[in-house]
Amino acid sequence: MAGLTLKHVYKRYENSGKKKKSKQLNPFAVNDLNLECGEGEFVALLGPSGCGKTTTLRMVAGLEDITQGEIYIGDRLANNLHPKDRNIGLAFEDYAMYPPLDVYGNVAFNLRAKGVDKAEIDRRVREIAPLMQIDDILDKMPVKLSGGQKQRVNIARAIIREPELLLMDEPLSHLDGKARQLMRIEIKRLIHKIQCTTVYVTHDQLEAMSLADKIAIINFGVLQQFGTPSEVYDDPVNEFVASFIGEPPMNILETTIIKSDGTFFFTFPDSNLKIAVPSRYYSVVSDGFKCKMGVRPMDVLIGGPDSKGTPEEIATFENLGDERRIGIHVGDMLLMLITEDEKRYRRGDIIKLEVREEKTHLFDIETGERIREKP
Ligand code: ADP
């Protein structure tokens, strides 16, 4: 097992920018990426499609040249190491299997190619098969396998080599709903058992939040934040991270802060809603200060009959069984809240809206950077 370090890594594809030169704002698919994955850590690379996740993984695997920077596997500089000398297990999105070989043959393939002796191969296949729950399908041919089974074989093939580093690229993308959720639990159990440093590419924040020890959130090739799931959820560094993590996403509303009788309030255009600004921000705001206010839907509440909350009209209502989502118009913006209240609200109903003021975040209106209280 080895850790992984990326130091100021850049990737520029030779053909990038040629086709759409005028639109090319960022010529780098990966732009000054610094990451440190400790031994045995599970790190998710998370971001929208095209942000550079796969490129990063392919550079770590040695399948793509690095334009600039250094990649270390353990304390070995890997920049010029051939992929086969990196001792890496790869489980990529398309689980291409060898059709003429049964599951056993597919799992054993790389060890056979390396000339590992037959008894040792058999020992390793029999050890991994129950871990991946493929012991009862070892003699099946690939065409007879379900998507979930293929996925498990794919991962078994990656880990049988006892890699120092396991790289997975959207390994669950071909699975739907329930199968995806089950496989997520299996991956968690497996990684816990094999204790292998893992880098896992996904665009699905829920997958990253539930699996990873640490999440690297990337946008346009640039690392936005690298932290534990609770750090990126509770303490996002900017508007992008705040709205990418969480479902439904954080409400982010443009606001003008006003001062009234010594108290600062968030106010919103064409709305009566007024939310007190937490006093810790008093040193960074002023009367008339414009910024964005962020608050998670679960920190917006429906007040009881004696509530001093602002009366607001329900604009949208969704009943999802164990939770209900309500949307309120704040000017031309929509504020979402999640409630477990079982009352069947309707569009047009009036509720008293309360906000957990201490849970509000401030973001710069231009850059989207978090505005923090002064220490
Ligand atoms: P992600 O995995 O986050 O979806 P990728 O790493 O695949 O993103 O792609 C990052 C950027 O690099 C995208 O703009 C993509 O179009 C570009 N890109 C990826 N592969 C190539 C390639 N082989 N040649 C040129 N550009 C590429």
Side-chain angles (χ1 to χ4, degrees), residues 83 130 194 199 285 299:
I194 63 171
V199 183
V285 300
D299 295 319

Side-chain angles (χ1 to χ4, degrees), residues 13 15-16 29 47-56 64 201:
Y13 285 104
N15 55 351
S16 78
S49 177
C51 75
K53 308 178 293 292
T54 297
T55 300
T56 303
E64 206 65 71
V201 162

Side-chain angles (χ1 to χ4, degrees), residues 107-349:
V107 175
F109 188 86
N110 283 318
L111 296 184
R112 283 182 179 153
K114 270 166 91 183
V116 176
D117 86 42
K118 222 171 156 187
E120 173 62 10
I121 293 177
D122 194 59
R123 187 190 68 74
R124 290 211 223 164
V125 175
R126 308 264 166 218
E127 183 180 270
I128 277 178
L131 270 183
M132 288 316 300
Q133 297 173 0
I134 54 171
D135 34 348
D136 55 342
I137 54 164
L138 286 173
D139 58 354
K140 274 201 176 179
M141 301 308 282
V143 299
K144 297 264 170 67
L145 302 181
S146 69
Q149 288 171 328
K150 283 186 192 159
Q151 210 64 81
R152 287 202 285 269
V153 174
N154 190 29
I155 296 171
R157 282 188 345 180
I159 60 176
I160 196 160
R161 312 164 71 174
E162 298 174 350
E164 286 189 88
L165 202 57
L166 181 59
L167 306 180
M168 297 205 247
D169 191 350
E170 303 265 10
L172 309 187
S173 60
H174 292 292
L175 304 180
D176 47 22
K178 186 87 180 153
R180 200 178 168 108
Q181 195 190 342
L182 288 176
M183 197 64 198
R184 205 166 67 213
I185 296 168
E186 280 177 29
I187 288 186
K188 196 160 190 165
R189 182 181 54 82
L190 173 79
I191 299 298
H192 185 73
K193 272 218 170 102
I194 63 171
Q195 303 254 311
C196 183
T197 310
T198 302
V199 183
Y200 186 101
V201 162
T202 180
H203 64 276
D204 179 341
Q205 60 92 25
L206 182 65
E207 224 166 86
M209 290 294 277
S210 65
L211 286 171
D213 297 313
K214 278 188 171 168
I215 305 178
I217 299 165
I218 303 172
N219 194 25
F220 291 121
V222 178
L223 181 67
Q224 307 289 307
Q225 188 167 5
F226 185 44
T228 63
S230 51
E231 280 165 355
V232 297
Y233 185 86
D234 293 325
D235 196 14
V237 296
N238 59 27
E239 185 183 339
F240 178 81
V241 173
S243 50
F244 203 81
I245 299 281
E247 167 50 30
M250 184 184 282
N251 294 293
I252 296 185
L253 308 179
E254 288 196 14
T255 177
T256 303
I257 291 176
I258 56 141
K259 192 173 188 184
S260 166
D261 293 335
T263 305
F264 285 107
F265 292 95
F266 296 108
T267 65
F268 307 91
D270 304 317
S271 165
N272 293 328
L273 186 62
K274 243 170 109 180
I275 301 167
V277 176
S279 56
R280 62 179 184 278
Y281 292 115
Y282 277 24
S283 59
V284 290
V285 300
S286 53
D287 194 19
F289 185 80
K290 287 188 189 300
C291 63
K292 290 184 183 177
M293 183 215 72
V295 67
R296 296 217 175 266
M298 44 287 292
D299 295 319
V300 184
L301 313 170
I302 300 175
D306 302 327
S307 163
K308 294 202 172 63
T310 319
E312 293 284 354
E313 185 179 314
I314 291 181
T316 62
F317 178 78
E318 293 170 279
N319 185 352
L320 303 182
D322 53 356
E323 68 175 43
R324 284 139 194 84
R325 295 181 179 187
I326 291 175
I328 307 284
H329 283 307
V330 175
D332 58 6
M333 302 175 284
L334 195 68
L335 177 75
M336 293 297 293
L337 70 90
I338 292 183
T339 177
E340 288 174 9
D341 181 351
E342 291 190 357
K343 187 170 161 202
R344 221 185 148 73
Y345 290 98
R346 288 164 186 272
R347 215 166 149 238
D349 285 354

Side-chain angles (χ1 to χ4, degrees), residues 10-79:
Y10 290 80
K11 174 69 186 181
R12 181 179 188 147
Y13 285 104
E14 287 309 318
N15 55 351
S16 78
K18 278 190 185 153
K19 273 188 237 155
K20 38 178 185 177
K21 222 169 200 166
S22 56
K23 287 191 189 160
Q24 198 76 24
L25 296 174
N26 174 11
F28 292 102
V30 174
N31 195 339
D32 196 16
L33 183 58
N34 292 286
L35 275 185
E36 184 101 47
C37 319
E39 276 184 22
E41 251 179 6
F42 190 119
V43 171
L45 304 184
L46 173 69
S49 177
C51 75
K53 308 178 293 292
T54 297
T55 300
T56 303
L57 209 67
R58 288 176 58 82
M59 286 193 287
V60 173
L63 303 173
E64 206 65 71
D65 291 337
I66 303 165
T67 304
Q68 200 180 312
E70 290 165 349
I71 295 182
Y72 291 87
I73 298 172
D75 45 21
R76 268 194 317 168
L77 181 63
N79 287 37

